[in-house]
Amino acid sequence: MEKSNPKRILVVGLLCVDIIAECDSYPIEDTDQRCREMRKQKGGNGANTSYVLAEFGISVDLLTNIGSGNDMEFVKMSMSSVNLSKSLHVNEPMPTSLVIINAQNGSRTILHSGQSLPELKLDDFTRINLSEYRWIHFEGRSSNAENICEMIAFIRHFNHNTEDPIIISIEIEKCREEIICFFDKADVVFVSKDHVKFHGYHTPEDGIQNLITKCKPGATLICAWGDKGAWAKPPSGEIVKSSAYPPKKVIDTLGAGDTFNATMIYSLMQNIPLQQSLDIACRISGAKVGQKGYHGLR
Ligand code: ADP
Ligand code: FRU
């Protein structure tokens, strides 16, 4: 059966506020210093990934709990290219990150606070009409592992009864035990370099060779490795890689991984081969680290 919009994607993940302090150098503790600029931006892996997908012209829905307070309208306005109508409003403060960007090398240091916002439950997810989607991407949140696994089981059940199954991807980013259970849940798994190191592997090849055994048969495992580029293992065949594409100057690495993930999803959805998709994702995330924010990446 033809879907109403064959290009629609659902992203399930966090929407928060990022307060970004861009500093001449990384600050010294217990000093009083000026920063170059302080700006506010929407943030959260789910929000950033869906925003970049929308920059590619994809119809994208974000399912998230939207907090309240002064920043709520600002964040919603800056997400106007993404459909938030499936999201829920919650009477708790917006989760907030304080981000220090070192202007010398574009590094980002994130201090996050968002514990008061409830996590999404299975009931929030089952309200969604799954037949609208070609692809569903999850931010693999450690604080919500059980619910996310239930949501994925719900999609799998849907997939058993359709000729047009939804592709499931998940991001395994943080260094936490609770998210190891996500490896065998998705068709496309994004594992971060930090998480690979958390398992004791020091190179992307080593990480992928070992962690692919945790994935379900037929899955693709993808690993971005900062300024070294990115690696991936297709369902059958050898590991492929792409080098990074550094900009003239690295300005802002915040959300490089979210941009990379969005571009991979976009490319794979267009049936672009894995190696070429990695290359495109490294080019776009290379462009991202050369600019502030995510606008105009495509
Ligand atoms: P995260 O934001 O999750 O830490 P990574 O640092 O692994 O993500 O970066 C994701 C992708 O962004 C990399 O695969 C690379 O293509 C690009 N990237 C990140 N940092 C740089 C950099 N300094 N120069 C060029 N490309 C970069
Ligand atoms: C970047 C980011 C920020 C947010 C933080 C949450 O990947 O999503 O926008 O503040 O990570 O962990």
Side-chain angles (χ1 to χ4, degrees):
M1 197 179 67
E2 193 62 33
K3 292 181 182 175
S4 52
N5 183 344
K7 282 194 173 170
R8 213 159 183 80
I9 299 186
L10 177 68
V11 175
V12 184
L14 182 73
L15 169 65
C16 71
V17 190
D18 287 349
I19 296 167
I20 300 172
E22 191 186 316
C23 304
D24 285 332
S25 59
Y26 191 79
I28 299 163
E29 186 181 344
D30 206 18
T31 58
D32 179 350
Q33 63 188 77
R34 292 193 174 178
C35 57
R36 283 190 181 190
E37 183 186 90
M38 206 171 273
R39 60 180 185 272
K40 212 158 61 170
Q41 196 171 277
K42 55 103 185 54
N45 294 15
N48 297 334
T49 298
S50 50
Y51 182 89
V52 175
L53 280 164
E55 290 295 277
F56 287 121
I58 295 280
S59 301
V60 52
D61 297 353
L62 175 65
L63 176 62
T64 191
N65 277 333
I66 305 176
S68 57
N70 293 342
D71 289 321
M72 185 262 281
E73 286 303 334
F74 163 78
V75 163
K76 279 175 73 179
M77 258 173 59
S78 51
M79 287 289 288
S80 59
S81 54
V82 172
N83 177 22
L84 294 176
S85 70
K86 309 276 162 74
S87 290
L88 299 119
H89 283 89
V90 177
N91 197 18
E92 290 290 344
M94 288 286 299
T96 302
S97 293
L98 191 61
V99 182
I100 297 166
I101 297 208
N102 178 353
Q104 284 174 2
N105 57 14
S107 80
R108 93 290 183 259
T109 305
I110 304 172
L111 298 162
H112 182 73
S113 158
Q115 286 78 358
S116 61
L117 199 77
E119 294 288 348
L120 289 165
K121 305 275 183 310
L122 178 65
D123 284 351
D124 305 324
F125 189 78
T126 52
R127 296 179 299 108
I128 303 270
N129 176 7
L130 292 184
S131 65
E132 286 181 42
Y133 301 105
R134 166 123 56 109
W135 191 304
I136 301 184
H137 174 71
F138 290 88
E139 174 184 336
R141 295 175 59 71
S142 60
S143 45
N144 206 23
E146 215 178 303
N147 288 315
I148 290 174
C149 289
E150 287 175 4
M151 293 177 205
I152 293 176
F154 183 74
I155 306 172
R156 292 267 172 242
H157 180 74
F158 171 90
N159 279 352
H160 278 306
N161 300 305
T162 175
E163 286 169 7
D164 199 7
I166 298 165
I167 298 170
I168 302 169
S169 59
I170 196 156
E171 177 193 33
I172 301 177
E173 187 197 26
K174 302 280 184 324
C175 300
R176 305 229 172 88
E177 289 282 337
E178 301 91 303
I179 60 176
I180 297 175
C181 64
F182 292 140
F183 273 101
D184 67 350
K185 299 292 180 296
D187 307 299
V188 176
V189 178
F190 295 98
V191 64
S192 72
K193 96 178 153 292
D194 289 349
H195 191 87
V196 165
K197 288 181 182 168
F198 171 66
H199 283 266
Y201 307 117
H202 300 291
T203 65
E205 291 95 337
D206 205 15
I208 287 186
Q209 288 295 6
N210 285 284
L211 294 173
I212 192 77
T213 60
K214 293 189 182 300
C215 298
K216 72 183 189 71
T220 298
L221 181 59
I222 301 168
C223 179
W225 206 273
D227 63 1
K228 301 287 178 293
W231 280 253
K233 170 89 179 65
S236 60
E238 295 304 309
I239 292 176
V240 290
K241 68 161 286 196
S242 166
S243 62
Y245 288 88
K248 280 205 187 86
K249 179 156 174 45
V250 178
I251 287 175
D252 168 10
T253 58
L254 181 65
D258 306 333
T259 304
F260 174 87
N261 294 351
T263 314
M264 283 304 294
I265 294 168
Y266 170 75
S267 300
L268 294 174
M269 225 174 85
Q270 319 294 317
N271 294 320
I272 296 174
L274 187 61
Q275 153 78 85
Q276 207 183 328
S277 294
L278 276 184
D279 190 78
I280 297 168
C282 284
R283 282 178 196 271
I284 299 286
S285 45
K288 196 260 102 42
V289 302
Q291 69 168 56
K292 294 178 189 178
Y294 310 92
H295 189 64
L297 292 170
R298 54 180 304 147

